[in-house]
Amino acid sequence: MTEHHEPGAPTDREKQLAAFKERQLQELREFEERQLKALEEFERQELEELKEFEERQHPYEIKIDRTEFKVTEHFLTGAQLRALPNPPIGSDRDLFEVVPGGSDEKIADTQKVKMRDGLRFFTAPAQINPGLI
């Protein structure tokens, strides 16, 4: 027995395809809505953290070659860190950030370092000349 189909009327297959397309569009809208909510929440948290970071009143306590310094800036360059001791750290020495459990990081003069309590730095001769035997 053949199915009777009126001209211009959608077939069952066309109806199924249309329903499938509608479900796909609905799922896409729901996905986009979830993504937008997640992004808005992330941005809200970022703004809260930034505000807290900017409102911090007490200074950060850091050490350079075992001497403690209190700094209020949230970021300092290598050059600014070198200027903290008296006399300042000369160009004949390199400045390193202590990385617990990892390789210490050499800090370039133009490099920005995010301050935090307990940050430690040390200096070492910039050029080591091995002795002659």
Side-chain angles (χ1 to χ4, degrees):
M1 181 168 163
T2 61
E3 191 178 307
H4 178 66
H5 177 70
E6 292 183 34
T11 63
D12 283 344
R13 181 156 175 78
E14 289 171 332
K15 289 178 185 175
Q16 289 173 345
L17 184 57
F20 175 76
K21 286 181 180 178
E22 185 56 38
R23 283 194 309 275
Q24 290 291 85
L25 284 172
Q26 182 61 33
E27 288 177 14
L28 179 60
R29 283 191 289 267
E30 290 170 359
F31 173 77
E32 288 174 338
E33 192 174 300
R34 286 192 307 272
Q35 291 297 100
L36 182 59
K37 284 182 182 177
L39 179 60
E40 288 171 348
E41 176 62 19
F42 174 78
E43 288 175 342
R44 186 190 63 73
Q45 287 178 348
E46 286 289 299
L47 285 173
E48 283 180 15
E49 288 178 14
L50 180 61
K51 183 179 176 186
E52 180 182 312
F53 184 70
E54 290 173 343
E55 290 177 349
R56 180 182 167 102
Q57 295 297 313
H58 67 85
Y60 298 100
E61 294 179 4
I62 65 170
K63 286 186 179 180
I64 301 176
D65 287 336
R66 298 187 181 140
T67 300
E68 190 170 293
F69 297 91
K70 294 183 183 212
V71 296
T72 56
E73 295 85 354
H74 299 299
F75 290 90
L76 288 175
T77 64
Q80 290 171 313
L81 289 165
R82 288 174 162 279
L84 289 175
N86 190 8
I89 301 165
S91 60
D92 61 325
R93 298 188 70 78
D94 287 332
L95 179 66
F96 292 87
E97 178 183 341
V98 175
V99 179
S103 297
D104 298 330
E105 182 182 355
K106 183 177 174 182
I107 305 298
D109 285 349
T110 57
Q111 182 176 344
K112 284 187 174 183
V113 180
K114 182 178 176 183
M115 295 294 103
R116 63 183 188 277
D117 283 325
L119 201 54
R120 294 181 300 146
F121 300 90
F122 68 93
T123 62
Q127 188 172 7
I128 300 173
N129 294 319
L132 298 174
I133 296 177

